Amino acid sequence: MNAFSPLPPALLKRKAVVYVRQSSQSQVMQNLESQRRQYDLVDAARQHGFRRVEVIDDDLGLSASGAVARPGFERLVAWLCAGDVGAVLCFDASRLARNGRDWHHLLELCGLVDARVIDQDGVYNPCSPNDRLLLGMKGTISEFELGIIRARMLDAARAKARRGELRISVPIGYIWYRDAGLGFDPDLRVQEAVRLIFSRFRELRSGRQVLLSLTEDKLCFPRPTDGRSTTTFDWTPIRYRNVISVLKNPFYVGVYLNAKARSAPRSSMVAPARPMAMANRRRSGKFFSKITTARISNGTNMNATRRCSRPTPIGKRRCKIGPRWRALLSGLAVVAGACASPIPAKRHVRFTAVNAPI
């Protein structure tokens, strides 16, 4: 590595590629100084003697962990395979890759075409054993940093969840207040629509019968206007999925938890045309807390969840109950809120949690 030695004339006849990347859209919008410093590498390439300088910024807002496809990185690899690149400029190793496979593949291609890797510390020749060793260490450190960052963020979220302060998305009928925290939606019509589903379920003991009864009464159910936030609603005729989503949601009995879906397996990214069954998408419980939510359903929801999650006899069609959830306090007694009767912990139950204190 020597930042001051001139590059061979044969390399200067090729083009230099400046690779610009930031990991998320929020970084693209907020971390503008990092963006400027990466674009400033164009001047550094010209100082090294390159006349043709290309900028690849297609991957702004995309992670380099290998979990998503990066069209900009693929274009860089294609140019290297064609022998058109004399040097690859990046702010540091983490901009190019956060996983060893992509990083070492890039170094191998640079070594084959005798291209250089340039960052803010110097110029590296992947054909040189010393430079290759140093580049390998930079890539390993970059990959290790990603694991450390994830672990710190997850630990912080868990600590916040244990205090009941992690603001996860809430179902219809609840709302987060700036100062008071979690509470009921001030719209009484929304509260009554949810309570009516549970009152009818106590009478009819069937989600399908609840739907038929409410449809006969021409009840409308709130639907978020933008499809996501629960601030404004459009009132539409109630559907079966509205009834089931309320009866199966443990939030209405005071359960405060959040489960984060694991990323898709690598094979599904390599061959995106192959459909991935939703049953293969596992969920792992990440954030669990003491129960702090107020209850709307008076304990009925947990019984509805157990009933909907019962296994069917062998040979019959098994109902779709969704992925399993892990409990932080596994082995402790789970009780219903209304009668305080114990609920046996079974492996097939979708939600395993503790009821809210009354």
Side-chain angles (χ1 to χ4, degrees):
M1 180 189 71
N2 193 341
F4 304 101
S5 60
L7 297 176
L11 291 181
L12 297 178
K13 293 180 181 179
R14 306 179 195 173
K15 61 183 177 183
V17 178
V18 176
Y19 185 81
V20 179
R21 187 190 67 83
Q22 289 178 298
S23 300
S24 63
Q25 291 296 334
S26 61
Q27 293 182 6
V28 175
M29 301 297 295
Q30 299 174 7
N31 299 352
L32 300 180
E33 185 60 31
S34 172
Q35 215 174 109
R36 290 193 196 96
R37 296 181 68 182
Q38 294 187 61
Y39 280 111
D40 288 343
L41 293 174
V42 175
D43 298 332
R46 299 192 185 280
Q47 291 175 4
H48 282 287
F50 288 97
R51 295 183 179 180
R52 292 187 300 157
V53 181
E54 297 280 351
V55 177
I56 296 180
D57 54 3
D58 302 348
D59 298 340
L60 282 172
L62 298 179
S63 171
S65 62
V68 295
R70 291 187 291 158
F73 186 80
E74 293 174 0
R75 185 150 59 101
L76 172 61
V77 170
W79 286 351
L80 283 170
C81 293
D84 298 335
V85 179
V88 178
L89 289 89
C90 59
F91 188 72
D92 55 41
S94 63
R95 299 305 91 201
L96 282 170
R98 283 282 194 182
N99 65 91
R101 187 184 67 87
D102 290 345
W103 177 250
H104 290 287
H105 180 54
L106 179 70
L107 296 184
E108 188 69 25
L109 292 177
C110 290
L112 289 175
V113 299
D114 197 26
R116 302 293 189 268
V117 178
I118 303 175
D119 62 8
Q120 59 181 350
D121 296 327
V123 180
Y124 305 90
N125 181 9
C127 297
S128 172
N130 291 334
D131 288 0
R132 183 63 178 268
L133 177 62
L134 187 56
L135 288 172
M137 293 178 61
K138 282 177 174 283
T140 302
I141 294 173
S142 175
E143 186 177 10
F144 180 73
E145 284 177 348
L146 181 62
I148 294 297
I149 293 173
R150 284 176 175 171
R152 288 177 178 174
M153 293 177 62
L154 183 57
D155 289 343
R158 282 174 174 167
K160 199 170 184 179
R162 291 189 185 99
R163 298 194 304 270
E165 298 176 2
L166 181 65
R167 297 208 168 192
I168 60 178
S169 59
V170 294
I172 293 175
Y174 289 97
I175 191 173
W176 285 106
Y177 293 95
R178 184 182 299 272
D179 299 324
L182 184 65
F184 292 137
D185 194 308
D187 191 342
L188 297 180
R189 185 183 179 189
V190 175
Q191 294 187 32
E192 290 302 323
V194 176
R195 287 194 172 100
L196 185 58
I197 292 177
F198 287 108
S199 62
R200 293 291 174 88
F201 183 80
R202 282 194 294 270
E203 299 173 3
L204 304 174
R205 316 303 294 177
S206 169
R208 180 70 177 176
Q209 295 301 320
V210 170
L211 173 66
L212 296 177
S213 175
L214 296 179
T215 303
E216 184 179 355
D217 295 343
K218 297 182 179 180
L219 177 73
C220 293
F221 195 78
R223 181 179 65 86
T225 302
D226 58 356
R228 299 177 61 184
S229 60
T230 57
T231 53
T232 57
F233 300 99
D234 294 331
W235 291 84
T236 59
I238 192 167
R239 300 180 180 181
Y240 183 69
R241 64 183 180 185
N242 301 135
V243 176
I244 292 300
S245 64
V246 171
L247 293 176
K248 281 192 173 184
N249 197 327
F251 212 94
Y252 292 110
V253 290
V255 175
Y256 175 85
L257 61 89
N258 181 33
K260 184 178 180 181
R262 294 175 181 172
S263 58
R266 190 78 179 199
S267 59
S268 64
M269 302 166 202
V270 177
R274 181 180 179 182
M276 181 180 63
M278 290 301 294
N280 292 334
R281 291 195 62 190
R282 300 178 180 177
R283 288 177 179 264
S284 57
K286 296 294 184 183
F287 314 125
F288 294 87
S289 168
K290 59 184 180 181
I291 310 306
T292 58
T293 63
R295 295 179 297 142
I296 288 182
S297 65
N298 294 326
T300 308
N301 172 261
M302 185 64 73
N303 296 326
T305 301
R306 292 176 58 205
R307 186 176 296 107
C308 294
S309 302
R310 286 175 181 170
T312 56
I314 298 176
K316 295 186 178 181
R317 185 173 180 268
R318 186 174 294 276
C319 62
K320 298 180 180 179
I321 60 174
R324 294 192 297 268
W325 296 61
R326 297 178 182 175
L328 178 65
L329 304 177
S330 58
L332 296 186
V334 183
V335 297
C339 60
S341 59
I343 298 176
K346 297 182 179 180
R347 184 171 57 87
H348 60 265
V349 175
R350 183 176 180 180
F351 302 104
T352 306
V354 185
N355 243 14
I358 300 177

